[in-house]
Amino acid sequence: MKILVFLCSVLIAAAPVRAQDWPARPIRIIVPFAPGGVADNSARVVAEPLAQRLGQQVVVENRPGASGNIGSAAVAQSAPDGYTLLLGFDGTMVINPHVFPKIPFDTLKDFAPVTKLGDAALILVSHPSVGAKNLADFLSMSKNSARTWAYGTSGTGGTPHLAGELLKQRTGIQLEHIPYKGGGQAITDVVGGQIPLVFTAIATAQQYVRNGRLVALGVPSAGRSSALPEVPTFIESGLAGFDVSAWTGIFAPAKTPRAAIEKLRNELAVVLRSDFVRERYATLGIEPVGNTPDEFAQQVKADLARWEKVVKAANVRVE
């Protein structure tokens, strides 16, 4: 009899999670960065409305360190039950595996993509003294000059850095990367004229573009940004297929029940369509997405392959 009871309990414990049963307790979203910034805020904006829809508290917990590797590894090693999630950032998930000699997780094997929350548009801005009005002007000027242009970013191995390396590889112009400890510091130096260019998030630069202290040369995304719709894309400036945006998304540990992932994705899709989230994301320079787990997984694989080529060609390493 005791054996029968034990076997029944094992079967119950091993039973697949049903959508109607999950969640039964609070959920944690681990953000592998310090509070503040686009990645952190992209999670905080959706946490409360998501909690209202799920009927359970959604707690955002910051675990910074090693360019996002520490917090990401913690989620990879968590129980795959849908109660510990990761706010994944493209820099951590698809660039870090190529620029760090060793990281404590495997993006494809250790995580189950849930949905992309949104694309954070990047922008290339210049000090007015550069003299270019847009990217086409800048490229024409650069190709007829032997000058090496310094461009600042938020740090080595981030999406803005690799966007600059890709621009260098695609056009042959001379660009020198200047890493800072944050996008804000890089912006301060370009406004002050210490460096001529900065690749950064639109949210960081838009106020300086609007007041004329910086010139927006272009955005490297597929379409123009709603935050600065007058700024042309790199594609419009002649660089076909140049589509680079920083993205954030939700990941669960690998082997998390599909029912929990599907329910979470469906509820996030509703949240991302709400006026509240769309308005808050607009101030962050984020375009909401909310794609399916399979669609998100396909982009993660494609981005891993793309950035591997760029990193190898530029010999980018973070020790």
Side-chain angles (χ1 to χ4, degrees), residues 30-36 39-40 61-65 67-69 87-89 91-92:
I30 304 297
V31 175
F33 305 101
D40 178 61
E61 180 180 321
N62 297 90
R63 291 197 191 180
S67 298
N69 291 340
L87 187 282
F89 181 60
T92 303

Side-chain angles (χ1 to χ4, degrees), residues 8-245:
C8 288
S9 65
V10 169
L11 290 172
I12 291 171
V17 173
R18 295 178 299 174
Q20 62 265 37
D21 297 332
W22 181 92
R25 62 178 190 271
I27 298 166
R28 290 185 305 159
I29 299 177
I30 304 297
V31 175
F33 305 101
V38 173
D40 178 61
N41 283 316
S42 70
R44 294 186 181 278
V45 167
V46 301
E48 184 176 346
L50 178 62
Q52 293 173 353
R53 292 197 60 84
L54 293 175
Q56 291 289 344
Q57 187 178 14
V58 176
V59 179
V60 176
E61 180 180 321
N62 297 90
R63 291 197 191 180
S67 298
N69 291 340
I70 292 176
S72 300
V75 176
Q77 297 161 12
S78 298
D81 53 14
Y83 293 99
T84 302
L85 307 171
L86 174 68
L87 187 282
F89 181 60
D90 67 316
T92 303
M93 306 303 285
V94 299
I95 296 176
N96 281 8
H98 305 307
V99 300
F100 281 84
K102 186 177 181 180
I103 59 173
F105 61 84
D106 185 302
T107 299
L108 297 181
K109 294 180 180 179
D110 294 339
F111 297 99
V114 177
T115 190
K116 181 164 68 169
L117 294 178
D119 289 311
L122 302 178
I123 190 169
L124 179 63
V125 295
S126 69
H127 188 271
S129 63
V130 170
K133 295 180 180 180
N134 50 49
L135 182 62
D137 281 351
F138 177 69
L139 293 179
S140 177
M141 177 190 308
S142 301
K143 289 176 180 178
N144 296 319
S145 170
R147 176 175 174 178
T148 296
W149 300 90
Y151 73 99
T153 74
S154 55
T156 300
T159 313
H161 174 200
L162 293 193
E165 293 294 343
L166 182 60
L167 179 62
K168 180 179 178 180
Q169 293 169 18
R170 286 284 305 272
T171 63
I173 64 174
Q174 297 303 307
L175 294 173
E176 179 187 4
H177 179 233
I178 308 296
Y180 286 78
K181 292 183 179 180
Q185 293 180 14
I187 282 288
T188 297
D189 272 8
V190 75
V191 170
Q194 281 77 32
I195 55 175
L197 305 167
V198 163
F199 245 124
T200 189
I202 277 188
T204 306
Q206 59 186 344
Q207 62 176 316
Y208 300 102
V209 171
R210 290 190 177 117
N211 64 26
R213 299 181 71 183
L214 292 178
V215 177
L217 298 181
V219 292
S221 48
R224 296 193 180 196
S225 169
S226 58
L228 291 171
E230 70 278 9
V231 180
T233 66
F234 281 25
I235 296 172
E236 290 176 279
S237 297
L239 298 180
F242 201 115
D243 181 9
V244 177
S245 294

